[in-house]
Amino acid sequence: MTAPRTGASRLLPALAGAGAAQVALAGARSLTGRPAGAPWRRTNYAGRPVTLLGGPALALSATATAVLGAPTGTRAAAAVVGTVSGLVGGYDDLAGARPEQARDKGLAGHLRALRAGRVSAGAVKVAGIGAAAAVAALLTRDRGRGAGALVDGVLTTGLVAGTANLLNLLDLRPGRAAKVGAIAAATALGGPAGGLVSGPLGATLAVLPSDLGERVMLGDCGANALGSLLGLRLAAMPHRGARATALAVITGLTLASEKVSFTRVIEATPGLRELDRLGRLPT
């Protein structure tokens, strides 16, 4: 009887996530052509008009259904990281588009701005996600104390913040971040904490066609919220070594992104190239 109950506990939040995302996307479509939707309009890499309102649609639906499906001890943390990451990501989507923020991109750009006495929108986002990740570490900590508890807190904070940032770095082509997020969520459905990502998986799959069709973009709001929830699921892995390895990989990829173009690597790698292009409109 365990397997059917487990299957149902994963299916219901996934369906709820998909349904919530469809409702949120309908609201985004209704706003796109109105004055309220103007700040969210962008031109994508191919010169096509899109809206960043896909991000709030995903952030809201993924966060709400992550809380629905998460284990009891993780629900508050899921609400915090999904909500805060979505909010500060949305702030960066809007404030970061201002002309004076154009140079403040990437870690190097945020640091340059701080040295010049300016606080970039990206720096606000990094601080907000970092703070939310630290709160999540406190909310999910065991009763233990000492060095082990400190290490676990650092790992949780790093995994939540790092995964949020890494998924956002992938949001450079239609569907790329959503595909990676969906694959990551699908592979993490097992175990006691798997319900945490079942709702976000359904929400991401529901948003993916609009993303691939270049009608919406996830932007910082959607990618950061989804990434933070995936990071929280990684932090729930029982073995400390596995969590440390995951954080090392995420950190390495993030640092590499400052020097290496993910798009160039993907385009040069058979298999990754075809997966990245799957379902996308021709350029």
Side-chain angles (χ1 to χ4, degrees):
M1 296 299 292
T2 300
R5 284 199 299 269
T6 300
S9 70
R10 302 296 185 263
L11 180 60
L12 291 176
L15 293 175
Q22 291 289 3
V23 171
L25 282 173
R29 285 193 293 271
S30 70
L31 285 175
T32 297
R34 299 182 180 181
W40 300 90
R41 295 173 197 151
R42 297 291 185 274
T43 299
N44 72 358
Y45 83 108
R48 298 186 177 105
V50 296
T51 177
L52 288 171
L53 285 170
L58 177 60
L60 286 168
S61 53
T63 300
T65 53
V67 174
L68 175 68
T72 303
T74 315
R75 289 174 184 166
V80 169
V81 301
T83 301
V84 174
S85 297
L87 285 173
V88 295
Y91 171 76
D92 193 23
D93 282 331
L94 297 176
R98 297 169 184 166
E100 66 271 19
Q101 299 272 347
R103 297 172 297 163
D104 303 337
K105 301 299 181 184
L107 179 60
H110 303 327
L111 292 175
R112 281 196 303 270
L114 288 173
R115 285 196 295 267
R118 293 181 291 106
V119 179
S120 67
V124 172
K125 182 187 71 172
V126 169
I129 293 175
V135 170
L138 291 174
L139 291 171
T140 57
R141 67 180 176 179
D142 293 327
R143 293 183 180 274
R145 296 181 179 180
L150 177 62
V151 170
D152 288 339
V154 170
L155 289 173
T156 296
T157 302
L159 285 168
V160 171
T163 309
N165 181 61
L166 181 59
L167 197 67
N168 187 45
L169 292 174
L170 293 170
D171 191 35
L172 295 176
R173 291 294 183 272
R176 181 181 294 170
K179 286 175 185 175
V180 172
I183 292 170
T187 60
L189 287 173
L196 171 64
V197 291
S198 56
L201 173 60
T204 303
L205 291 176
V207 172
L208 182 57
S210 294
D211 191 2
L212 287 169
E214 300 185 35
R215 296 184 292 278
V216 305
M217 286 179 62
L218 301 189
D220 293 44
C221 179
N224 284 148
L226 177 60
S228 70
L229 294 168
L230 293 172
L232 188 62
R233 173 64 185 91
L234 289 175
M237 291 190 295
H239 300 295
R240 189 177 292 157
R243 283 177 273 144
T245 299
L247 180 57
V249 171
I250 290 167
T251 302
L253 289 172
T254 302
L255 293 174
S257 72
E258 294 289 320
K259 301 292 184 181
V260 179
S261 166
F262 284 169
T263 295
R264 289 183 181 177
V265 172
I266 291 169
E267 285 294 321
T269 307
L272 288 180
R273 178 175 59 243
E274 287 72 24
L275 176 61
D276 190 51
R277 294 178 180 178
L278 182 65
R280 248 167 47 190
L281 298 177
T283 54

